[in-house]
Amino acid sequence: MQSNNPVFRRSEEFNRSGAAAYQGFGEPQQYGGYAQPGYPAPEAPARQGRMTIDSVVQSTAITLGITILAAAATWFLTPDLDNADAVGTLSGIMIVGAGAAFILSLVNSFKRVISPALVIAFALAEGVALGGISKLYDAVYGADSSGMGGIVVQAVIGTFAAFGGTLAAYKFFDIKVGQKFRTFVIAAMFGMVALSLMELVLGLFGGGVGIFENGTLGLLFAVAGLVLGVFMLILDFDFVEQGIANGLPERESWRASFGLLVSLVWIYTNLLRILAILQQD
C-alpha cells in the first residue's frame, strides 16, 4: 500500500511489494474488479489484528489527549508572563518542546515500523510546545472586542471545526485522492517547511522576508498554510480509508493518529497566527 502523507512514508506494509518507500505512488493494481493507482494489495499479516476505524479512533484519542494534557500542564505550571524572566523561561520551554517534536516527527516519518511509544513521545513534546505558544499568544492578544474569548479558544474551536468540516466533505462528496493532488500537497508541505526554516535562519542574522510578521505577507502565508492543512487532512482520511480496506496491521493505526495530529497542529498554529494578525490595527 502506498502512503498518502509524508508522515506515512516508512510504513513497513508499504514495502511489501518490493518497491522503495514512497517512490512515485506505484502502478495500478486490481481490487475486486477495479484499478486503484498507488495501492498495491498488501499481503495478509500473520497473527496480527487488522486496522479498523475503532483502532484509529482509539490511537488518535490517546495521542490527542496526551497533547492536550501536556499543553494544559505547560500553560498552568509556567509563571505568568508579567516580567522578562517569565517570558524567557516560557520561551526556553517552548523551544525545547518544539525542537524535540521536530526531531521525533522526522524519526516517526522515516521509521519503517511505527512505534506507538515514539508517537506518544511526539504528542507529549508537541503539547509542551503548543502550551507555550498558546500562552504567549494569549498574553499578547488576550480577548478581542467581539466578546468571543481569546484567540486561543477561537483557534481551538476553529481547528475542530476544520476537522469536522473536512471529514464531512470527504465523505459526503466522495472525494478521491489522485496522484496529482497527492504530489502537489506533499511538495507544498515540504516547500513551506523549507521556507519557514530558511526564514528562521535568516532572522538570526537580521534578514528574512517577513513571512512570520503581522503584515500582509504574513497573513497570506498563514492562510496558505491553513488551506494546506485542510488538504493534508484529506490525505490522512484517504490513508485511513485505504488502510482499512486493504487490511493493514492494527499498529498502523498509530501512524494514522500521528499523521492526523500533525495536520491538526498545522491547522491550529496557522489559525492562531491569522487571528493574531486580524486583531492588529
Side-chain angles (χ1 to χ4, degrees), residues 127-265:
V128 171
L130 288 180
I133 293 172
S134 300
K135 187 168 185 175
L136 184 62
Y137 269 82
D138 183 76
V140 174
Y141 300 100
D144 63 11
S145 58
S146 66
M148 296 178 62
I151 62 174
V152 172
V153 175
Q154 296 176 39
V156 170
I157 295 174
T159 299
F160 284 103
F163 177 85
T166 305
L167 179 59
Y170 179 82
K171 296 302 294 183
F172 295 148
F173 294 102
D174 195 22
I175 296 176
K176 302 299 182 183
V177 176
Q179 181 174 340
K180 291 183 179 179
F181 177 78
R182 183 184 300 112
T183 303
F184 166 76
V185 174
I186 294 171
M189 177 182 176
F190 281 114
M192 187 164 286
V193 170
L195 183 60
S196 299
L197 291 176
M198 182 184 69
E199 179 75 4
L200 290 175
V201 172
L202 292 177
L204 296 176
F205 300 96
V209 296
I211 62 176
F212 294 132
E213 296 178 359
N214 290 350
T216 302
L217 183 59
L219 178 61
L220 292 175
F221 190 78
V223 171
L226 176 60
V227 174
L228 180 58
V230 172
F231 289 165
M232 289 164 59
L233 276 180
I234 293 176
L235 297 189
D236 296 336
F237 296 151
D238 185 71
F239 171 80
V240 173
E241 184 176 40
Q242 297 295 336
I244 293 173
N246 295 322
L248 288 187
E250 187 176 7
R251 66 171 179 269
E252 291 300 316
S253 300
W254 289 95
R255 196 181 303 275
S257 68
F258 171 59
L260 287 168
L261 180 58
V262 169
S263 299
L264 289 173
V265 169

Side-chain angles (χ1 to χ4, degrees), residues 59 62-71 74 96-108 111 114-130 254 257-258 261-262 265:
S59 59
I62 292 173
T63 55
L64 188 59
I66 290 174
T67 302
I68 293 174
L69 289 176
T74 303
V96 170
F102 181 73
I103 294 173
L104 287 169
S105 68
L106 294 178
V107 173
N108 284 317
K111 190 172 176 59
I114 193 66
S115 170
L118 290 179
V119 174
I120 290 174
F122 168 77
L124 182 63
E126 194 69 82
V128 171
L130 288 180
W254 289 95
S257 68
F258 171 59
L261 180 58
V262 169
V265 169

